[in-house]
């Protein structure tokens, strides 16, 4: 599993998830890699963008309702 923390950075998140998926595919690990995105109470627009990345189990999202910051 790869955990990716994020807050209100949908474009950067898309690039990171795409890079992780490409890396897994290049090494024949696509079916074994799980990407978990931890959304630190992002804005609604960012959450909508994040929802578009969830793809049938390979990418999962955990959303905090309150901003916890780095020390969470």
């Amino acid at each position: 599993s790869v955990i990716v923390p994020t807050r209100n950075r949908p474009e950067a998140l898309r690039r990171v998830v795409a890079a992780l998926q490409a890396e897994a595919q290049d090494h024949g690990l696509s079916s074994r890699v799980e990407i978990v995105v931890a959304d630190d109470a992002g804005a609604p627009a960012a959450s909508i963008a994040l929802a578009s990345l969830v793809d049938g189990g390979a990418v999962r999202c955990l959303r905090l309702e309150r901003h916890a910051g780095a020390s969470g």
Side-chain angles (χ1 to χ4, degrees):
S1 294
V2 179
I3 300 172
V4 181
T6 190
R7 184 163 197 266
N8 296 333
R9 297 183 67 191
E11 291 306 317
L13 181 62
R14 282 189 188 102
R15 288 192 306 272
V16 167
V17 169
L20 289 169
Q21 290 172 325
E23 186 73 17
Q25 186 173 2
D26 288 350
H27 294 284
L29 300 171
S30 293
S31 64
R32 297 177 49 198
V33 173
E34 171 190 47
I35 301 169
V36 179
V37 178
D39 179 12
D40 192 9
S47 294
I48 291 168
L50 177 58
S52 72
L53 296 174
V54 176
D55 65 354
V59 179
R60 292 185 17 202
C61 176
L62 301 173
R63 186 173 195 287
L64 299 176
E65 294 301 319
R66 285 184 16 170
H67 176 55
S71 63

